[in-house]
Amino acid sequence: MADPKEIQNFDELRKLRLADEGYFVITDTVRGAIIHKVNSKCITADKFNLKVSINGRKQGSYFWVDSIPTAAREFGAKRCQVCKPELTLVFPSTFET
Ligand SMILES: [Zn+2]
């Protein structure tokens, strides 16, 4: 598993969205850490700028992680109730009779 990567600017965030791999973790001193899908509507330029640029990461930050287990291990992150990232992969063989 790869280590979490803190996202430094919106261009980096945009590139990670285009790559369409992994998940974003948004940490928050009040709400705790939440895992979002990489292409979720939860992730916006306005929210990113507010947290990272305007508030200077004082109340949390944005990270990229390779998997949900990494997010859980590193941040104790919970799944977002809006974009609902998958908890487990279901293999095709599950459905074979
Ligand atoms: Zn979300």
Side-chain angles (χ1 to χ4, degrees), residues 34-37 40-43 80-85:
I34 310 277
I35 312 165
H36 299 272
K37 283 182 181 172
S40 161
K41 290 189 180 69
C42 308
I43 313 293
C80 174
Q81 294 301 305
V82 179
C83 62
K84 295 184 170 59

Side-chain angles (χ1 to χ4, degrees), residues 71-88:
R73 190 190 65 218
E74 299 290 330
F75 300 98
K78 293 189 173 65
R79 288 193 301 154
C80 174
Q81 294 301 305
V82 179
C83 62
K84 295 184 170 59
E86 308 73 342
L87 187 59
T88 52

Side-chain angles (χ1 to χ4, degrees), residues 54-94:
I54 299 168
N55 289 337
R57 304 179 199 269
K58 284 190 204 74
Q59 288 155 7
S61 191
Y62 281 64
F63 295 85
W64 179 87
V65 295
D66 63 340
S67 69
I68 289 177
T70 302
R73 190 190 65 218
E74 299 290 330
F75 300 98
K78 293 189 173 65
R79 288 193 301 154
C80 174
Q81 294 301 305
V82 179
C83 62
K84 295 184 170 59
E86 308 73 342
L87 187 59
T88 52
L89 286 171
V90 179
F91 294 101
S93 60
T94 308

